[in-house]
């Protein structure tokens, strides 16, 4: 086959997949059909579970461009297979010429985004086609996205809208006129209906999907087998449990589907007005919108049904659905490069880059403003699942699977049990054949052994602990939509925190201002609202430079803007809709101070004077606003004081940025020192600037002037100091996490030094710890990318070499830290831009920085997600706690994402806290650890239950006997089910401890625990079994007849059953004998003994004696078994088929049981916990990685398990399990790490295979 058989789609993206082509094969289909019939449908189930096998079994390989079915495999670590059928989209020749070229272009693969000049493309592409099938477009759908065949790429690619490859100039020149009806109809055929369809599956479909789970199929197999062998009671119990489990699961899944459907469908279909190419306005349903439509935004607002770029007017939008912030955002029209500065026309439009001009799907437009009759218009750029809301819904519908070692090891452990069952399976068949058992009985008996060794109740038992943990979390206000994540949260060893609203209070308080006069800072002033300052440019800037607006009479906007405006106590008035419609282009927003702050000498007659003669009426009109840009870190406005002939420009933003745009002579000499003093104290500092504009600038010219023309040559006016207080519980919670050896990382959009200060205040960074700031610069002017390393304490001083104090850079002390990192630790801090540069140009440094990175400032939403991925790449189990503001991606990607917001954005987070406090984090980790340990306990108990019962039956089989039907029933129903559902009720331990539970079952402590208990139980069962034969009163019990005994023994062996119709002749099965009675009593106690031994409490769960249901269950069962053993009751003995043995032997059995209990509990709770736990289970603190001459660094609890497996596979352990631990050991002996202060790391011009970098010391 040619190379087309394997391609990659979405290359370089998160959902990258390999694609293979196949065609249906009739003879293969016929063979599969025959196989399905011969296997009774089992082959069909197998092919249902394995898409890869299904396609390969029914199809043959084919070139991708001609295939009928595609097989897809993700390229991530999960390597999941999907299959999709190829469909054909028939494109009829439209009644106009231009779309014909687009049809050709799409079928030929070029239209991966919308074309801009259709006529020209028609001429270029027409000669490529001569066949009528060019109108047939091949595509397939995967995860709600259509992939069309692209002949140019020789691959499938998804259809894009105006969000890629379209310049801002073409937005206005080629798309602002709207579409013709013919072009609209044509694009709708391609793009389909504009809807985010979340179909709620029918109960029947969900039921079929649920019951086809392999575990439920196995349970069905077991139940049928037991019913065949007339073992009805336990079969009924399993059926009841399975039904309850299926019903509860169906209810939860369907409820989530309905919630998601309701969230999406609330405003999915509305009527919208669109502008057509002939300038007429047509009203259509929002489901008919396509990219390129010009949508009219109504005056009273709407819920956006698509992503659209604003080209006329302004909108006030609530984006809480996407960002989690309910603060209204002002959206302005996209700048038209043709009327702005030259050179900008080549800029490509991007929804992310131009967020301030883009209306996103699902967000609510609260108000619109239009001028002189011009409608507020927006061009549709994305529809359906391609929109921002659609992508969010897709991530919820098709989540990335969680890879957790527990679940992988659970399947491995089950395979081991299956192997054990296989041995018994073969042994049973051989013995049955040798004893000339009937074929029917051989089949039942040999299959029945599997139901003994692999317990069908295991899934329900494993789920119980998670369900109980979910209920406990709900009681403390934490809601979970992904229960399986609870176990994973028990492994978290690093938690990322957003700052504002998470670690600190939501709001900012105005601490004071520090004005500048004559290029010198004045003393800080606490009171801004005063008569002396009311007409100052400083207060005028605070009054005008904001994005506040009135919504239903209430002032709304950014909290920082609100605090500043409230501090000066001014009033804001906006023009009405009628005023904006009548006036030319603009009717300004007006701000005015309170009357009591103005001079009182104004005569009343002045109110009749001309505007420019009114000295006492002080009002400022906001003529033009340049919204805040996170990329520029500033905003500005053009305003005019009532009566002034010249306009004023005001600007505010990040102090460093504002100072760089001001005249140098207006910036105080000590600006950097004053700024550093404030940021070190944790204040958020905003700088203000102002300049008078030229009188020739009219209102009309201001509307078209570029931002850069305004924001330069300003006069520096001073600083506004805002205070962001820590939440009261923050330090205590972080202290608890540090004591538990859980690393904490701050991820914020705030200023770097402010973030470092907050990190020190909450003791995320201890006072003696050093902070190294990594300032990465991208390649520029032929120079390679580089990283400048600074100390946080010397960052601002380093700009002036004369200001650097050599005493402030303790290089020797820093070098000494490598010997003992507990004396002085170091942390890395960086901003979002530096982080992106490092990810792109310094891949080899990323793991090293992740090991010590503590503060990440000015991080964009996608950068937060990338950070979580980078931490996971070095094997951290990462938690993320945010208030929903821009944290959605990181919350979804983390192992445990906890949203402190109950807004719609949190629907993607696995956990949501009702109380907006980080105290939920230790609660979640504690419950996660408890649930994880419960899972281990239950799994170990179920494994021991299987092995104990397996060995009991094996011993009895040697004398052609077996356990009786009601003995099986008593063990399976009365003991196992009761114990397994009560032992999971242990609550979490009251505090976090330094140890972490193991991540998988294949670990030294757990393997030793299981194997030691197996040996102990087998030993004591064997002791009782062989000892009873040595008693003087012992008589060997023979079956009814030799031949029949062999048949009956083989039938009852492993079969969990006996023929109830033959209860009148119990000797027929040789059940009533001394060995049976002894083994039954010992094994019954052994189930309870291992349950007590495995039901551990501290340090992850409350002691088992606080689990009152478990204690009561064990006591009742022990008393009952002791009673029937020491005080025989004829009716009970008859039902359980127990023989009467001398009282002395009953006492002996009790002694055997007591010794068994003592040995089991001592081995499990003393030897294992006090010796192995401390030796193997003692992990180093994350982030400290100590070196000691007496004890090497511990790697993980899984070391012992790995050693066992390595020995079995004859391979050697090469490195620690966790990458970050291995890396920490390497860095301890690396003389070049950490980088010295005031050095630079440069990327190699030609990166070698090892991606090495060069460290150059600046002299």
């Amino acid at each position: 086959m040619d190379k087309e058989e394997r391609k990659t789609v979405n290359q370089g993206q998160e959902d990258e997949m390999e694609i293979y082509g196949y065609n249906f094969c009739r003879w293969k289909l016929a063979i599969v059909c025959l196989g399905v019939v011969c296997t009774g449908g089992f082959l069909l189930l197998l092919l249902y579970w394995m898409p890869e096998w299904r396609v390969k079994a029914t199809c043959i390989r084919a070139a991708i461009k001609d295939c009928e079915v595609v097989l897809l495999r993700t390229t991530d670590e999960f390597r999941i297979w999907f299959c999709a059928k190829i469909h054909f989209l028939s494109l009829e020749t439209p009644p106009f010429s231009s779309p014909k070229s687009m049809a050709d272009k799409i079928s030929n693969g070029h239209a991966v985004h919308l074309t801009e000049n259709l006529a020209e493309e028609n001429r270029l592409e027409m000669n490529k086609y001569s066949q009528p099938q060019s109108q047939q477009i091949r595509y397939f759908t995967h995860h709600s996205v259509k992939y069309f065949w692209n002949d140019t790429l020789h691959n499938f690619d998804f259809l894009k809208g105006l969000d890629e490859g379209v310049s801002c100039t073409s937005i206005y020149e080629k798309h602002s006129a709207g579409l013709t009806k013919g072009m609209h109809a044509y694009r709708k055929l391609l793009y389909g209906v504009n809807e985010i369809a979340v179909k709620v599956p029918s109960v029947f479909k969900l039921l079929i999907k649920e019951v086809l789970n392999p575990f439920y199929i196995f349970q069905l197999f077991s139940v049928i087998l037991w019913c065949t062998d007339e073992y009805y009671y336990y079969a009924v119990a399993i059926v009841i449990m399975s039904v309850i489990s299926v019903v509860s699961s169906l209810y939860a899944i369907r409820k989530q589907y309905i919630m998601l459907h309701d969230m999406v469908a609330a405003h999915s279909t509305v009527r919208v007005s669109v502008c057509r190419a002939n300038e007429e306005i047509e009203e259509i349903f929002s489901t008919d919108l396509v990219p390129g439509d010009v949508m009219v935004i109504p005056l009273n607002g709407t819920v956006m049904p698509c992503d659209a770029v604003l080209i006329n007017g302004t909108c006030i939008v609530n984006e809480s659905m996407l960002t989690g912030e309910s603060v209204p955002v002002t959206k302005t029209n996209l700048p038209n490069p043709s009327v702005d500065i030259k050179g900008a026309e080549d800029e490509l439009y991007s929804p992310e880059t131009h967020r301030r001009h883009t209306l996103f799907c699902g967000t609510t437009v609260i108000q619109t403003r239009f001028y002189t009759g011009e409608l507020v218009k927006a061009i549709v750029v994305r529809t359906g699942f391609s929109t921002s809301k659609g992508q969010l819904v897709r991530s919820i519908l098709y989540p990335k699977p969680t890879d957790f070692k527990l679940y992988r090891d659970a399947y491995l452990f089950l395979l081991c049990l299956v192997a054990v069952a296989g041995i018994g399976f073969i042994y049973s068949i051989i013995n049955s054949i040798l004893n000339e058992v009937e074929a029917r009985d051989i089949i039942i008996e040999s299959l029945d052994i599997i139901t003994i060794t692999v317990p069908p109740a295991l899934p329900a038992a494993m789920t119980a602990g998670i369900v109980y943990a979910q209920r406990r979390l709900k009681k403390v206000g934490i809601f979970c939509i992904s229960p399986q994540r609870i176990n994973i949260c028990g492994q978290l060893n690093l938690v990322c925190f957003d700052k504002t609203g998470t670690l600190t209070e939501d709001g900012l308080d105005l601490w004071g201002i520090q004005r500048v006069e004559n290029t010198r800072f004045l003393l800080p002033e606490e009171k801004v609202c005063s008569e002396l300052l009311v007409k100052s440019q400083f207060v005028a800037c605070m009054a005008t430079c904001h994005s506040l607006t009135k919504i239903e009479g209430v002032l709304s906007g950014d909290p920082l803007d609100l605090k500043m405006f409230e501090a000066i106590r001014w009033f804001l008035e906006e023009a009405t809709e009628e005023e904006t419609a009548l006036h030319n282009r603009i009717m300004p927003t007006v701000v005015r101070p309170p009357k009591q702050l103005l001079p009182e000498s104004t005569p009343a007659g002045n109110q009749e004077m001309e505007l420019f003669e009114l000295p006492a009426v002080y009002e400022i009109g906001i003529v033009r606003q340049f919204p805040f840009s996170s990329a520029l870190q500033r905003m500005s406005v053009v305003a005019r004081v009532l009566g002034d002939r010249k306009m004023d420009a005001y600007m505010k933003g990040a102090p460093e940025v504002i100072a760089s745009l001001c005249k140098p002579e207006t910036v105080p000499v000590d600006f950097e020192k004053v700024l550093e003093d404030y940021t070190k104290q944790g204040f958020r500092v905003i700088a203000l600037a102002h300049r008078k504009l030229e009188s020739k600038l009219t209102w009309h010219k201001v509307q078209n002037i570029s931002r850069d023309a305004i924001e330069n040559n300003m006069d520096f006016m001073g600083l506004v100091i805002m205070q962001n207080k820590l939440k009261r519980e923050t330090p205590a919670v972080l202290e608890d996490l540090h004591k538990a050896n859980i690393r904490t990382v701050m991820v914020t959009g705030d200023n770097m030094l402010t973030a470092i200060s907050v990190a020190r205040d909450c003791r995320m960074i201890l006072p003696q710890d050093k902070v190294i700031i990594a300032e990465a610069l991208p390649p520029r002017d032929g120079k390679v990318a580089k990283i400048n390393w600074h100390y946080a304490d010397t960052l601002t001083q380093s700009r002036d070499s004369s200001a650097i104090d050599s005493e402030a850079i303790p290089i020797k002390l820093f070098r000494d830290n490598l010997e003992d990192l507990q004396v002085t630790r170091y942390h890395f801090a960086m901003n979002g831009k530096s982080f992106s540069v490092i990810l792109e140009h310094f891949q080899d440094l990323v793991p090293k920085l992740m090991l010590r990175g503590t503060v990440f400032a000015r991080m964009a939403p996608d950068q937060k997600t990338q950070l979580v991925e980078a931490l996971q790449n070095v094997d951290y189990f990462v938690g993320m706690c945010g208030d929903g503001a821009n944290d959605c991606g990181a919350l979804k990607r983390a192992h445990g994402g906890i949203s402190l917001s109950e807004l719609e954005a949190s629907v993607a987070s696995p956990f949501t806290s009702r109380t907006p406090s980080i105290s939920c984090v230790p609660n979640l980790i504690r419950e996660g650890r408890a649930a994880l340990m419960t899972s281990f306990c239950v799994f170990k108990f179920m494994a021991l239950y299987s092995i104990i019962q397996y060995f009991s039956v094996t011993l009895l089989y040697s004398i052609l006997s077996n356990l009786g039907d009601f003995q099986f029933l008593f063990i399976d129903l009365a003991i196992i089910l009761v114990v397994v559902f009560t032992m999971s009720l242990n609550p979490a331990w009251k505090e976090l401890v330094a140890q972490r539970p193991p991540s998988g079952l294949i670990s030294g402590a757990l393997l030793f625990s299981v194997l030691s208990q197996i040996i102990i139980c087998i030993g004591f069962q064997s002791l009782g079994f062989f000892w009873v034969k040595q008693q003087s009163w012992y008589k060997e019990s023979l079956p009814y007849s030799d031949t029949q005994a062999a048949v009956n023994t083989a039938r009852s062996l492993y079969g969990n059953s006996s023929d109830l119709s033959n209860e009148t002749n119990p000797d027929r099965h040789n059940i009533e004998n001394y060995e049976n009675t002894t083994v039954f009593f010992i094994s019954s106690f052994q189930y309870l003994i291992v349950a007590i031994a495995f039901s551990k409490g501290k340090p992850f769960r409350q002691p088992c004696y606080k689990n009152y249901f478990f204690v009561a269950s064990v006591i009742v069962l022990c008393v009952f078994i002791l009673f029937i053993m020491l005080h025989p009751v004829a009716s009970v003995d008859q039902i359980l088929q127990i023989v009467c043995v001398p009282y002395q032997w009953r006492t002996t059995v009790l002694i055997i049981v007591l010794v068994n209990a003592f040995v089991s509990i001592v081995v499990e709770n003393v030897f294992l916990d006090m010796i192995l736990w401390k030796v193997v289970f003692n992990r180093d603190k994350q982030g400290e990685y100590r070196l000691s001459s007496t004890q090497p660094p511990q790697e993980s609890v899984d070391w012992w398990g790995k050693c066992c497996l390595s020995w079995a596979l004859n391979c050697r352990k090469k490195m620690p399990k966790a990458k970050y631990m291995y890396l920490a050991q390497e860095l301890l002996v690396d003389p070049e790490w950490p980088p010295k202060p005031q050095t630079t790391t440069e990327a190699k011009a030609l990166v070698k295979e090892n991606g090495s970098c060069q460290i150059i010391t600046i002299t």
Side-chain angles (χ1 to χ4, degrees), residues 797-798 800-805:
Q797 297 175 359
S798 65
D800 181 4
S801 59
S802 63
I804 298 178
D805 181 5

Side-chain angles (χ1 to χ4, degrees), residues 310-321:
L310 202 58
I311 58 171
N312 269 345
T314 60
C315 295
I316 299 167
V317 185
N318 185 335
E319 293 189 325
S320 63
M321 201 288 298

Side-chain angles (χ1 to χ4, degrees), residues 289-304:
L289 288 172
V290 297
D293 269 332
V294 177
M295 178 181 171
V296 178
I297 311 297
L299 291 175
N300 56 350
T302 184
V303 176
M304 288 300 296

Side-chain angles (χ1 to χ4, degrees), residues 961-981:
S961 179
N962 193 12
L963 291 172
D965 184 41
F966 280 93
Q967 289 176 342
F968 273 122
L969 187 65
F970 175 75
I971 292 170
D972 293 342
L973 205 59
I975 297 180
I976 302 304
L977 288 187
V978 171
V979 168
V980 83
F981 284 112

Side-chain angles (χ1 to χ4, degrees), residues 240-251:
I240 292 172
M241 279 197 307
S242 298
V243 168
I244 294 173
S245 177
V246 168
V247 169
S248 60
S249 178
L250 286 183
Y251 174 77

Side-chain angles (χ1 to χ4, degrees), residues 378 506 557 625 690 708 873 1042 1107:
D506 271 321
Q625 183 187 94
H690 159 264
D708 292 339
N873 288 340
D1042 288 345
N1107 184 349

Side-chain angles (χ1 to χ4, degrees), residues 114-150:
L114 287 186
T115 57
E116 295 185 2
N117 192 331
L118 298 174
E120 180 181 350
E121 289 170 357
N122 186 38
R123 290 193 298 272
L124 293 174
E125 301 294 334
M126 277 300 291
N127 51 2
K128 290 189 179 181
Y129 307 99
S130 57
Q131 296 125 348
Q133 59 264 32
S134 63
Q135 294 298 310
Q136 292 285 328
I137 301 179
R138 305 173 70 250
Y139 74 94
F140 68 90
T141 304
H142 174 67
H143 285 178
S144 301
V145 174
K146 287 183 180 179
Y147 292 84
F148 290 88
W149 176 251
N150 183 325

Side-chain angles (χ1 to χ4, degrees), residues 510-515 525-536 538-540 542-543 563-570 597 688 719-721:
L510 183 68
W511 180 84
I513 63 172
Q514 190 157 9
R515 295 184 295 133
E525 300 169 75
E526 185 177 345
K527 191 176 181 183
V528 189
C529 182
S530 67
E531 292 184 14
L532 295 175
L533 298 177
V534 68
K535 289 190 178 183
S536 66
F538 193 96
V539 171
M542 294 177 67
K563 284 289 182 184
M564 289 175 61
F565 194 78
E566 289 170 358
I568 59 176
R569 299 180 187 173
W570 281 41
L597 294 180
L688 307 183
L719 305 173
V720 177
I721 299 100

